[in-house]
Amino acid sequence: MRTQVEEDAFQAWIYASNCLLYENDPGPAELDTGTAEEPWMVPRAQAWQHAYALNVLVQCEADHARLTAAARQCRVGIADAAARLGAQSACEWSRAADLCEQAARMVDDAGAVGDDKARRRLLAGCEHQTMMIALGSVIPAVAESSADDLRHALREIDEEP
């Protein structure tokens, strides 16, 4: 049975493996991460890393301590993976650590490290954003439902003392 840290690191590794696949898929060098009204082109690797860091953040409930612990665990996994499984596995664990660290920076930048209300607001926003990335542009009803869920979650958080 895995500890919470090991489970968080393992989930980050799964996201990292997928992230690396998308980063290396053939396609445009830049992706539009904006809206129809305001396109925002970013390098392909950066777009996918951000998207998967959001997933890691959601997986770890925007908990800075869990994210930093998972990053450390992933860094430990790099050397082990390189020795046992080769360079590709080490690259996956390295990307997993990067995603955890990026997610931890998001929590820090949002002022949510010691502020549970800010953490929950960030988490709600990231849950919505990951839903929009995954399905929002192709299934309009999902976008509407996710936006409703976000408004409801933020209202509940804001109404608390």
Side-chain angles (χ1 to χ4, degrees), residues 127-148:
E127 287 171 338
H128 171 68
Q129 196 169 2
T130 58
M131 182 63 70
M132 295 304 296
I133 290 168
L135 298 172
S137 64
V138 293
I139 307 175
V142 169
E144 290 175 28
S145 176
S146 181
D148 289 343

Side-chain angles (χ1 to χ4, degrees), residues 12 47 73 136:
Q73 184 69 29

Side-chain angles (χ1 to χ4, degrees), residues 15-16 18-20 22-24 31 33 42-57 91 94-96 98-103 105-106 133:
Y15 286 127
N18 284 304
C19 181
L20 287 166
Y22 280 107
E23 284 180 49
N24 294 311
L31 299 177
T33 61
V42 297
R44 178 181 199 80
Q46 181 183 343
W48 286 115
Q49 289 168 29
H50 178 73
Y52 279 99
L54 290 170
N55 282 302
V56 170
L57 185 147
C91 184
S94 179
R95 174 64 79 235
D98 294 344
L99 296 177
C100 292
E101 290 164 355
Q102 185 175 349
R105 280 192 305 276
M106 289 184 223
I133 290 168

Side-chain angles (χ1 to χ4, degrees), residues 62 107 110-122:
V107 174
V113 174
D115 182 340
D116 190 58
K117 213 173 203 182
R119 182 194 63 79
R120 290 175 31 235
R121 287 181 64 80
L122 174 64

Side-chain angles (χ1 to χ4, degrees), residues 25-79:
D25 273 352
E30 291 187 325
L31 299 177
D32 183 359
T33 61
T35 64
E37 296 80 25
E38 287 187 51
W40 185 36
M41 303 303 286
V42 297
R44 178 181 199 80
Q46 181 183 343
W48 286 115
Q49 289 168 29
H50 178 73
Y52 279 99
L54 290 170
N55 282 302
V56 170
L57 185 147
V58 169
Q59 176 68 34
C60 291
E61 300 175 321
D63 184 322
H64 192 267
R66 281 179 63 187
L67 290 163
T68 56
R72 282 190 304 274
Q73 184 69 29
C74 290
R75 295 277 176 222
V76 168
I78 295 169

